[in-house]
């Protein structure tokens, strides 16, 4: 894992965003993708949106240190213990982010019809100004952001394999983000979001 280079600051109002496209080299990223794709106990939960229940349009898994559950969109997930390779990645991410993370939520996007709708990572168990560190593996997907109040403030980022995106400060108070569906033919992507649950 590379730690010589520092992440680049993305200059957006009301946000603290850092992006490092080559946090992992391509070989490391591919090896980790294959390992996680095969070894993680993926699950698909039902999600409630505007009073209707749907199968969540992606697969997920939660790993954690302290056994604390994580609840979002009416789903409560209970963590598995961190396996060795995920622990090693967590340590490398912590060294860059300057935060001791307690959990990692994994999302598996199987194709372009898998997605994650507009949201903020602002659940109360994440604390006042949560630090969210996101590692992408596999296919590149678009990460879209929009400001909660100023409709003219938008930002798109292509999250490439091996990249690290860190959101911190007041970002979750002011911005929403999503991984939209795409009609383009696209292969599988795994996203790992490290966070601290209080």
């Amino acid at each position: 894992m590379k730690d010589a280079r520092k992440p680049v600051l993305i200059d957006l109002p009301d946000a603290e965003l850092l992006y490092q496209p080559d946090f992992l080299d391509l070989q490391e990223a591919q090896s980790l993708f294959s390992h996680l794709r095969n070894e993680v106990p993926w699950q698909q939960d039902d999600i409630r949106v505007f009073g209707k229940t749907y199968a969540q349009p992606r697969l997920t898994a939660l790993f954690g240190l302290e056994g604390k559950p994580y609840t979002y969109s009416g789903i409560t997930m209970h963590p598995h213990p961190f396996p060795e390779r995920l622990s090693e990645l967590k340590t490398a991410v912590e060294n860059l982010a300057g935060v001791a993370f307690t959990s990692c939520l994994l999302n598996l996007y199987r194709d372009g019809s898998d997605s994650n709708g507009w949201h903020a990572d602002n659940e109360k168990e994440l604390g006042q100004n949560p630090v969210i560190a996101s590692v992408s593996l596999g296919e590149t997907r678009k990460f879209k952001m929009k400001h909660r109040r100023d409709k003219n403030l938008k930002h798109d980022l292509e999250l490439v394999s091996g990249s690290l995106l860190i959101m911190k400060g007041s970002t979750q108070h002011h911005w929403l983000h999503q991984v939209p569906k795409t009609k383009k033919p696209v292969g599988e992507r795994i996203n790992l979001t490290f966070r601290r649950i209080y």
Side-chain angles (χ1 to χ4, degrees):
M1 286 160 207
K2 304 185 177 185
D3 26 46
R5 281 200 52 215
K6 299 256 192 223
V8 176
L9 179 67
I10 297 174
D11 189 18
L12 289 175
D14 301 325
E16 283 185 63
L17 254 76
L18 300 165
Y19 182 60
Q20 184 168 343
D22 59 352
F23 175 66
L24 302 177
D25 67 37
L26 289 178
Q27 192 173 352
E28 285 177 304
Q30 183 55 51
S31 169
L32 187 56
F33 175 91
S34 299
H35 174 76
L36 295 173
R37 182 66 181 91
N38 294 321
E39 299 298 326
V40 164
W42 298 103
Q43 64 190 67
Q44 185 173 29
D45 295 295
D46 286 336
I47 190 166
R48 250 182 116 60
V49 182
F50 302 121
K52 294 190 175 177
T53 302
Y54 304 92
Q56 193 168 215
R58 61 190 180 280
L59 304 185
T60 60
L62 181 69
F63 293 87
L65 290 179
E66 298 159 358
K68 291 182 180 175
Y70 179 54
T71 300
Y72 67 97
S73 302
I75 297 169
T76 298
M77 298 188 71
H78 297 275
H80 305 281
F82 271 99
E84 184 179 356
R85 286 192 72 174
L86 208 47
S87 289
E88 291 170 359
L89 181 65
K90 183 171 89 72
T91 300
V93 172
E94 287 171 337
N95 289 340
L96 257 179
V99 174
F101 296 109
T102 63
S103 74
C104 182
L105 177 64
L106 279 69
N107 291 292
L108 170 60
Y109 299 86
R110 295 159 293 183
D111 55 32
S113 63
D114 274 358
S115 62
N116 199 341
W118 287 113
H119 70 285
D121 295 317
N122 57 0
E123 292 79 16
K124 66 178 187 297
E125 61 260 50
L126 298 180
Q128 176 67 21
N129 288 319
V131 178
I132 310 292
S134 170
V135 175
S136 294
L137 304 170
E139 290 285 322
T140 298
R141 289 291 292 265
K142 185 167 289 196
F143 182 82
K144 296 175 76 72
M145 298 182 68
K146 67 178 180 182
H147 198 274
R148 286 177 181 268
R149 292 177 307 283
D150 186 341
K151 302 305 178 200
N152 296 314
L153 281 178
K154 297 176 182 174
H155 186 74
D156 290 358
L157 194 59
E158 298 283 335
L159 295 180
V160 300
S161 190
S163 67
L164 171 66
L165 175 69
I166 300 172
M167 297 183 283
K168 57 190 211 176
S170 62
T171 306
Q172 305 302 326
H173 297 276
H174 301 290
W175 290 82
L176 300 173
H177 56 272
Q178 71 160 345
V179 176
K181 295 181 189 297
T182 177
K183 288 194 162 46
K184 294 177 186 168
V186 61
E188 293 185 328
R189 169 184 182 251
I190 293 174
N191 175 244
L192 305 92
T193 52
F194 292 92
R195 52 196 77 204
R196 184 171 184 83
I197 296 178
Y198 292 92

